Amino acid sequence: MSMFGDGLDAAVHKAFTRPAPKSAPAQMRYLVKQLKGTKAVAQMLRISQRTVERYVKGQIKKPRPDLAARLEREVKKRWQPQIRAKARQKAATTGGIVIDTRARIGYTAPIGTTDEDRLRHLTVALPPHYAARLFDAQEQGATEQRLQELAAEALKEVYFQDGGRRAGSLEEVRFTDIEHLEFDL
Protein backbone atom coordinates (compact mmCIF):
# COMPACT_ATOMS: atom_id res chain seq x y z
CA MET A 1 0.00 0.00 0.00
CA SER A 2 1.39 3.35 -1.02
CA MET A 3 0.32 5.73 1.73
CA PHE A 4 1.82 8.92 0.28
CA GLY A 5 1.01 8.17 -3.37
CA ASP A 6 -2.56 7.12 -2.54
CA GLY A 7 -2.96 10.20 -0.31
CA LEU A 8 -1.94 12.53 -3.15
CA ASP A 9 -4.33 10.74 -5.51
CA ALA A 10 -7.19 10.99 -3.00
CA ALA A 11 -6.60 14.75 -2.65
CA VAL A 12 -6.84 15.19 -6.42
CA HIS A 13 -9.94 12.95 -6.60
CA LYS A 14 -11.77 15.38 -4.30
CA ALA A 15 -11.67 17.87 -7.17
CA PHE A 16 -13.79 15.66 -9.45
CA THR A 17 -16.96 17.34 -10.66
CA ARG A 18 -18.86 14.10 -11.31
CA PRO A 19 -18.69 10.76 -9.53
CA ALA A 20 -16.90 7.93 -11.29
CA PRO A 21 -19.01 4.95 -12.43
CA LYS A 22 -19.88 2.71 -9.48
CA SER A 23 -21.28 -0.53 -10.92
CA ALA A 24 -18.97 -3.07 -12.53
CA PRO A 25 -20.78 -3.02 -15.92
CA ALA A 26 -20.62 0.79 -16.04
CA GLN A 27 -16.94 0.75 -15.07
CA MET A 28 -16.21 -1.86 -17.72
CA ARG A 29 -18.05 0.14 -20.42
CA TYR A 30 -16.05 3.23 -19.44
CA LEU A 31 -12.74 1.36 -19.73
CA VAL A 32 -13.73 -0.18 -23.06
CA LYS A 33 -14.52 3.28 -24.38
CA GLN A 34 -11.25 4.73 -23.03
CA LEU A 35 -9.02 1.93 -24.31
CA LYS A 36 -11.00 1.54 -27.56
CA GLY A 37 -11.72 -2.16 -27.30
CA THR A 38 -12.41 -5.14 -25.11
CA LYS A 39 -9.09 -6.85 -25.84
CA ALA A 40 -7.01 -4.06 -24.29
CA VAL A 41 -9.25 -3.98 -21.21
CA ALA A 42 -9.01 -7.77 -20.84
CA GLN A 43 -5.21 -7.64 -20.99
CA MET A 44 -5.02 -4.75 -18.52
CA LEU A 45 -7.34 -6.43 -15.98
CA ARG A 46 -5.89 -9.92 -16.60
CA ILE A 47 -9.23 -11.49 -17.50
CA SER A 48 -10.62 -12.98 -20.72
CA GLN A 49 -12.02 -10.83 -23.50
CA ARG A 50 -15.28 -12.77 -23.27
CA THR A 51 -15.62 -11.85 -19.59
CA VAL A 52 -15.21 -8.17 -20.47
CA GLU A 53 -17.92 -8.52 -23.10
CA ARG A 54 -20.26 -10.13 -20.54
CA TYR A 55 -19.74 -7.21 -18.15
CA VAL A 56 -20.40 -4.70 -20.95
CA LYS A 57 -23.68 -6.44 -21.83
CA GLY A 58 -24.69 -6.62 -18.16
CA GLN A 59 -24.67 -10.44 -18.04
CA ILE A 60 -22.21 -10.33 -15.12
CA LYS A 61 -22.80 -7.69 -12.47
CA LYS A 62 -20.73 -8.65 -9.41
CA PRO A 63 -16.95 -9.13 -9.86
CA ARG A 64 -14.64 -11.00 -7.50
CA PRO A 65 -13.12 -8.73 -4.83
CA ASP A 66 -9.66 -8.65 -6.45
CA LEU A 67 -11.13 -7.82 -9.88
CA ALA A 68 -13.43 -5.21 -8.34
CA ALA A 69 -10.42 -3.48 -6.74
CA ARG A 70 -8.42 -3.51 -10.00
CA LEU A 71 -11.44 -2.27 -11.94
CA GLU A 72 -12.06 0.63 -9.56
CA ARG A 73 -8.37 1.58 -9.48
CA GLU A 74 -8.11 1.66 -13.29
CA VAL A 75 -11.32 3.71 -13.67
CA LYS A 76 -10.19 6.27 -11.07
CA LYS A 77 -6.78 6.49 -12.72
CA ARG A 78 -8.44 7.58 -15.98
CA TRP A 79 -11.48 9.50 -14.69
CA GLN A 80 -11.63 13.21 -15.56
CA PRO A 81 -7.98 13.72 -16.56
CA GLN A 82 -8.42 17.43 -17.31
CA ILE A 83 -9.98 18.12 -13.90
CA ARG A 84 -7.14 16.17 -12.25
CA ALA A 85 -4.54 18.15 -14.20
CA LYS A 86 -6.16 21.48 -13.28
CA ALA A 87 -6.26 20.54 -9.59
CA ARG A 88 -2.59 19.57 -9.61
CA GLN A 89 -1.67 22.73 -11.51
CA LYS A 90 -3.58 24.94 -9.08
CA ALA A 91 -1.95 23.28 -6.07
CA ALA A 92 1.50 23.57 -7.67
CA THR A 93 1.17 27.24 -8.66
CA THR A 94 -1.18 29.09 -6.31
CA GLY A 95 -3.00 26.93 -3.78
CA GLY A 96 -0.44 24.69 -2.17
CA ILE A 97 -1.34 21.50 -0.32
CA VAL A 98 -2.31 20.71 3.27
CA ILE A 99 -0.81 17.69 4.97
CA ASP A 100 -2.56 16.21 7.98
CA THR A 101 -0.59 13.45 9.69
CA ARG A 102 -0.34 11.61 12.94
CA ALA A 103 3.04 9.94 13.02
CA ARG A 104 6.18 9.47 15.02
CA ILE A 105 8.38 12.32 13.81
CA GLY A 106 11.97 12.87 14.81
CA TYR A 107 14.89 14.87 13.55
CA THR A 108 18.64 15.05 13.52
CA ALA A 109 19.99 18.08 15.38
CA PRO A 110 23.09 19.16 17.31
CA ILE A 111 23.91 17.44 20.60
CA GLY A 112 22.06 18.88 23.58
CA THR A 113 18.69 19.26 21.85
CA THR A 114 15.60 17.09 22.24
CA ASP A 115 15.67 15.23 18.97
CA GLU A 116 13.91 12.02 20.03
CA ASP A 117 11.13 10.70 17.86
CA ARG A 118 7.74 11.44 19.35
CA LEU A 119 4.16 11.04 18.27
CA ARG A 120 2.82 14.26 16.74
CA HIS A 121 -0.41 15.24 15.07
CA LEU A 122 0.37 17.96 12.54
CA THR A 123 -1.85 19.81 10.09
CA VAL A 124 0.39 22.03 8.01
CA ALA A 125 -0.31 24.07 4.87
CA LEU A 126 2.60 23.61 2.50
CA PRO A 127 3.41 26.31 -0.08
CA PRO A 128 2.82 25.60 -3.79
CA HIS A 129 6.43 24.70 -4.61
CA TYR A 130 6.28 21.72 -2.21
CA ALA A 131 3.03 20.57 -3.82
CA ALA A 132 4.73 20.84 -7.21
CA ARG A 133 7.70 18.77 -5.99
CA LEU A 134 5.42 16.07 -4.56
CA PHE A 135 3.24 15.84 -7.69
CA ASP A 136 6.25 15.91 -10.04
CA ALA A 137 7.94 13.13 -8.10
CA GLN A 138 4.75 11.08 -8.13
CA GLU A 139 4.32 11.51 -11.90
CA GLN A 140 7.92 10.45 -12.48
CA GLY A 141 7.28 7.23 -10.56
CA ALA A 142 9.07 8.08 -7.32
CA THR A 143 9.09 5.41 -4.64
CA GLU A 144 7.02 5.67 -1.49
CA GLN A 145 10.24 6.33 0.43
CA ARG A 146 11.11 9.29 -1.83
CA LEU A 147 7.63 10.83 -1.42
CA GLN A 148 7.99 10.40 2.34
CA GLU A 149 11.39 12.15 2.26
CA LEU A 150 9.94 15.06 0.26
CA ALA A 151 7.07 15.45 2.73
CA ALA A 152 9.49 15.30 5.66
CA GLU A 153 11.70 17.94 4.03
CA ALA A 154 8.66 20.19 3.51
CA LEU A 155 7.63 19.77 7.17
CA LYS A 156 11.18 20.55 8.25
CA GLU A 157 11.25 23.86 6.41
CA VAL A 158 7.64 24.96 7.01
CA TYR A 159 6.81 23.61 10.47
CA PHE A 160 10.06 23.05 12.34
CA GLN A 161 12.15 25.87 10.88
CA ASP A 162 9.21 28.21 10.24
CA GLY A 163 10.68 29.44 6.96
CA GLY A 164 14.14 30.03 8.43
CA ARG A 165 13.05 31.88 11.58
CA ARG A 166 13.98 29.11 14.02
CA ALA A 167 15.83 25.78 14.36
CA GLY A 168 18.42 26.76 11.77
CA SER A 169 20.73 23.92 12.79
CA LEU A 170 18.11 21.24 12.15
CA GLU A 171 19.58 18.74 9.70
CA GLU A 172 16.96 16.10 8.89
CA VAL A 173 13.35 15.27 9.74
CA ARG A 174 12.14 11.67 9.53
CA PHE A 175 8.71 9.99 9.57
CA THR A 176 8.24 6.66 11.30
CA ASP A 177 5.16 4.76 12.46
CA ILE A 178 2.63 6.72 10.39
CA GLU A 179 -0.86 6.22 11.85
CA HIS A 180 -2.73 8.71 9.68
CA LEU A 181 -1.87 10.66 6.56
CA GLU A 182 -4.14 12.81 4.44
CA PHE A 183 -3.54 15.49 1.84
CA ASP A 184 -5.99 18.21 0.86
CA LEU A 185 -5.80 20.76 -1.94
Side-chain angles (χ1 to χ4, degrees):
M1 183 174 105
S2 171
M3 190 174 271
F4 283 83
D6 291 346
L8 289 169
D9 287 339
V12 172
H13 290 178
K14 290 177 188 174
F16 287 164
T17 57
R18 292 179 311 171
K22 298 274 189 256
S23 71
Q27 289 175 332
M28 203 64 80
R29 283 190 294 273
Y30 175 75
L31 287 176
V32 167
K33 185 177 178 183
Q34 289 296 306
L35 298 177
K36 297 177 179 38
T38 56
K39 187 175 183 179
V41 174
Q43 289 173 345
M44 178 185 63
L45 295 174
R46 300 184 306 273
I47 57 176
S48 72
Q49 187 173 354
R50 181 70 186 126
T51 302
V52 172
E53 292 167 359
R54 286 186 182 126
Y55 275 106
V56 169
K57 289 181 181 177
Q59 294 171 342
I60 304 176
K61 295 185 189 306
K62 186 90 172 114
R64 322 182 292 272
D66 63 322
L67 177 59
R70 286 195 311 262
L71 189 57
E72 185 174 346
R73 185 177 54 246
E74 293 300 328
V75 167
K76 280 194 172 180
K77 191 189 301 182
R78 291 168 175 76
W79 189 250
Q80 293 191 332
Q82 293 171 336
I83 301 290
R84 184 182 302 114
K86 282 181 185 176
R88 286 177 179 231
Q89 182 66 29
K90 182 180 177 201
T93 55
T94 58
I97 193 166
V98 175
I99 182 172
D100 178 37
T101 185
R102 180 170 169 78
R104 189 164 295 282
I105 300 175
Y107 49 87
T108 306
I111 299 195
T113 60
T114 57
D115 61 348
E116 277 189 37
D117 292 0
R118 70 175 196 235
L119 197 61
R120 300 172 192 255
H121 183 194
L122 302 176
T123 302
V124 180
L126 302 176
H129 66 278
Y130 290 113
R133 289 179 65 193
L134 283 166
F135 285 132
D136 289 345
Q138 183 189 27
E139 284 180 21
Q140 293 169 3
T143 63
E144 182 71 5
Q145 181 64 35
R146 180 64 184 140
L147 292 173
Q148 186 173 336
E149 289 169 4
L150 287 171
E153 185 180 317
L155 284 177
K156 170 189 157 194
E157 293 180 23
V158 175
Y159 178 76
F160 290 103
Q161 292 183 327
D162 195 18
R165 288 189 281 277
R166 61 178 183 194
S169 59
L170 195 64
E171 296 168 15
E172 175 189 28
V173 172
R174 61 189 170 276
F175 273 105
T176 54
D177 302 331
I178 301 170
E179 293 178 7
H180 168 77
L181 177 77
E182 187 176 336
F183 292 98
D184 200 10
L185 302 179

